[in-house]
């Protein structure tokens, strides 16, 4: 099992982290929510299995709309995409969702280092209050004023995320969806750091502004992403 918090066991790594944090403090930083800090995919799969008697696992999700793809295999679901969005963003799922491994620790660490990041999501506007409540429970240092979701609506909206990242002048954004990462680098000046998840394990990119961590099962995915960014900064 990957550990949540890696050891900084040599001077080289310590200096690398110090340099990265100094840069992050001077730039605009943002994190996606689902798949980056909130492990909602796992709870969504649990709810699907409970409701439909299936045996899916989180590793079965292979893309941004991977849950919808899985529901196509379930009889008598007329609109798999609508059903997947409804389940994923339901109060039952988010109330039971735990943080992604290492996310709470990294968030608190960055806070103590003086990095005040935004949270920017494509989540439906209807999930605004439950999302804020989730952060108050798990990362109470995150101000609701720093959480950007749509004001209204029941649909996910990638364009909202991309526009918000552009409007805020985000320099570094942590993301799990490679589809949204590509839209972000295409339409903004942000550098996107991909947080490893089953749905992006095989993704490759030639765009230097999409940072993909090296494989390492010894530490949690979000720390792998953080260290990958530190490596890029150290080489620049």
């Amino acid at each position: 099992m990957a550990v949540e918090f890696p050891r900084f066991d040599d001077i080289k790594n310590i200096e690398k982290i110090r340099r990265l944090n100094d840069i992050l403090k001077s730039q605009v930083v943002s994190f996606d929510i689902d798949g980056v800090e909130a492990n909602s995919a796992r709870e969504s799969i649990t709810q699907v299995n409970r409701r439909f008697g299936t045996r899916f696992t989180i590793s079965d999700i292979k893309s941004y709309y991977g849950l919808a793809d899985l529901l196509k295999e379930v009889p008598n679901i007329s609109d798999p995409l609508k059903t997947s969005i409804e389940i994923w963003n339901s109060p039952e799922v988010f109330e039971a969702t735990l943080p992604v491994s290492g996310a709470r620790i990294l968030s608190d660490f960055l806070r103590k280092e003086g990095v005040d990041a935004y949270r920017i999501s494509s989540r439906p506007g209807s999930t605004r209050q439950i999302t804020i409540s989730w952060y108050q429970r798990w990362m109470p240092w995150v101000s609701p004023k720093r959480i950007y979701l749509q004001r209204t609506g029941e649909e996910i909206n990638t364009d909202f995320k991309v526009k918000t990242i552009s409007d805020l002048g985000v320099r570094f954004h942590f993301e799990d969806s490679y589809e949204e990462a590509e839209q972000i680098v295409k339409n903004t000046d942000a550098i996107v750091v991909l947080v490893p998840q089953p749905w992006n394990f095989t993704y490759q990119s030639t765009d230097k502004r999409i940072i993909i961590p090296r494989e390492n099962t010894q530490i949690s995915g979000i720390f792998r992403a953080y260290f990958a960014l530190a490596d890029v900064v150290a080489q620049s």
Side-chain angles (χ1 to χ4, degrees):
M1 179 181 293
V3 297
E4 289 197 353
F5 190 76
R7 293 176 57 190
F8 301 147
D9 53 6
D10 61 61
I11 295 298
K12 182 179 179 181
N13 281 338
I14 292 173
E15 290 303 319
K16 191 183 297 184
I17 294 307
R18 283 176 177 168
R19 181 179 178 190
L20 172 60
N21 289 346
D22 284 343
I23 290 174
L24 294 182
K25 284 186 287 187
S26 67
Q27 300 289 337
V28 182
V29 181
S30 63
F31 288 78
D32 181 36
I33 296 175
D34 296 284
V36 173
E37 293 193 318
N39 200 359
S40 46
R42 186 173 298 279
E43 188 59 32
S44 297
I45 287 289
T46 298
Q47 291 291 337
V48 165
N49 289 339
R50 185 176 297 144
R51 183 182 299 189
F52 300 110
T54 50
R55 292 186 175 182
F56 298 128
T57 69
I58 192 170
S59 297
D60 293 322
I61 300 179
K62 303 299 184 184
S63 67
Y64 187 64
Y65 291 109
L67 187 59
D69 292 337
L70 295 180
L71 291 178
K72 292 175 183 177
E73 303 175 19
V74 180
N76 304 318
I77 296 181
S78 59
D79 191 335
L81 178 58
K82 182 178 180 181
T83 302
S84 70
I85 293 173
E86 171 197 330
I87 292 173
W88 196 301
N89 294 288
S90 66
E92 295 80 13
V93 164
F94 219 57
E95 285 172 359
T97 290
L98 299 175
V100 167
S101 177
R104 191 171 187 272
I105 296 172
L106 179 61
S107 176
D108 191 35
F109 173 65
L110 291 177
R111 173 183 70 89
K112 291 174 180 176
E113 289 288 301
V115 180
D116 190 10
Y118 290 100
R119 272 65 186 180
I120 305 173
S121 175
S122 301
R123 308 189 106 239
S126 59
T127 67
R128 168 175 291 276
Q129 189 52 55
I130 195 169
T131 303
I132 291 173
S133 296
W134 187 88
Y135 273 98
Q136 289 174 338
R137 177 183 182 186
W138 292 107
M139 304 178 196
W141 50 84
V142 176
S143 168
K145 294 180 180 180
R146 309 287 284 187
I147 301 173
Y148 280 73
L149 281 78
Q150 301 175 77
R151 289 291 176 183
T152 59
E154 301 292 336
E155 303 295 327
I156 57 177
N157 187 344
T158 298
D159 291 342
F160 170 83
K161 178 189 286 185
V162 173
K163 184 178 186 303
T164 303
I165 288 172
S166 178
D167 290 348
L168 291 174
V170 171
R171 181 57 176 165
F172 300 106
H173 176 74
F174 289 79
E175 177 65 52
D176 66 301
S177 165
Y178 64 83
E179 296 96 333
E180 291 198 336
E182 290 178 347
Q183 290 300 310
I184 292 167
V185 297
K186 179 180 178 181
N187 295 286
T188 78
D189 295 327
I191 293 171
V192 178
V193 191
L194 207 62
V195 176
Q197 290 288 6
W199 45 91
N200 63 40
F201 280 168
T202 61
Y203 175 71
Q204 296 180 346
S205 176
T206 58
D207 194 314
K208 293 182 179 180
R209 288 199 291 127
I210 298 179
I211 299 173
I212 303 175
R214 295 191 302 270
E215 184 175 353
N216 182 345
T217 58
Q218 299 304 308
I219 61 175
S220 61
I222 196 163
F223 269 104
R224 285 166 57 192
Y226 174 71
F227 284 138
L229 179 57
D231 286 337
V232 170
V233 167
Q235 295 166 10
S236 63

